[in-house]
Amino acid sequence: MPLKFELCPGRMIGGSNPCFIIAEIGQNHQGDIEIAKKMIKMAKDCGADCAKFQKSELEYKFNKRALERPYTSKQSWGKTYGEHKRHLEFSHTQYVELQNYAKEVGIFFTASGMDEMAVEFLHELDVPFFKVGSGDTNNFPYLEKTAKKGRPMVISSGMQSMETMRRVYQTVKKHNQNFCILQCTSAYPLEAEDVNLRVIAEYQKEFPDIPIGYSGHESGVHISVAAVALGAKVIERHVTLDKSWKGSDHEASLEPSELTELVKAIRLVERSLGTSIKQMLPCEEPCHDKLGKSVVAKVAIPKGTVLSMDMLGVKVGEPKGVPPEDIYQLVGKSVTEDVEEDESITPDVVESYGKKIKC
């Protein structure tokens, strides 16, 4: 069985625990803290378990030339990539404010630490778990330092190979038992043929002692719901208040009505997964009582007759008789009473038949 652990205070993941649903706000807040608060409240109202952001210490995430690179995209908030990212980056004080607001609203709060210094800040902020974005999944010094902090970890696997993910597992496992891996394809928006949900099953085989989840960037909710049916224990989806807003992530994000639909669908699928034991259920008894078939006599069968297959048929009978699956057990046994043509053959009239009628 997959490992279970406490991802957030009082909230277990893995095993039979409910799927943990992360609403990835990321930087879809447009650099506006009031919009960010609205998105936290939206995530809570839609039923998500956690509101998540992305925290960078820009001088540690990018080198100077990357920050000075001209950024002329229609999605840009500045003339250079550095100006663009600074517009979208909240300060430490603002993160404290957002964390307090999430606590007030009643939803878990965390962020992806996009560089080692951001992880240090989030550790000081006392987030319940660290999210490792796909861009740092093969950053092994980062992974090792983050794992040593001792907080639970959720690790996306976009842009990585299985060989790299084995190294990720081994690196983190040395220092931290409480982590999960998410299948992810880093494209925005993501086309269905590039999702590769079958990787979830491969991860479950490769890493049987940790929960496996899914981070999706596709349009709509159906693929994420399918991931839960395949056993995903964590689902992460980008969210937005308006897909038409400026920013490259909005198109691959869920609006409030879609997030609500996703949460409801996941909870419905979880209920429907039920048990692996196949048996007649109490809810099926009315149908069985009305339409369940029995063995009946094709011909009149006098008392003492040894039964053969040509004497036996299967119909909906009244009263209930021997169940159809036992018809071959009747062959070679004698009847202890006369049975009229088309009558049910009940267990009590067959010698040495001791099986009770199922109900």
Side-chain angles (χ1 to χ4, degrees), residues 2 5 118 142 156-157 233 262 281 283:
F5 65 87
Y142 166 102
S156 280
S157 61
K233 300 302 182 181
L262 175 65
L281 299 175
C283 65

Side-chain angles (χ1 to χ4, degrees), residues 53 67 87 99 101 109 114 141 143 151 175 198 219 232 263 292 304 309 325 335 354 358:
F53 291 78
L67 290 173
H87 174 82
Q99 183 185 51
Y101 181 74
F109 173 91
M114 308 300 277
L143 279 181
R151 297 184 187 276
H175 309 289
R198 287 192 175 97
S219 299
V263 173
M309 274 301 297
E325 65 261 33
V335 293
K358 293 183 179 180

Side-chain angles (χ1 to χ4, degrees), residues 249-269:
D249 285 349
H250 291 287
E251 188 179 352
S253 300
L254 300 179
E255 291 182 338
S257 62
E258 293 174 302
L259 180 58
T260 298
E261 180 186 0
L262 175 65
V263 173
K264 287 181 177 178
I266 287 174
R267 299 307 177 217
L268 182 63
V269 166

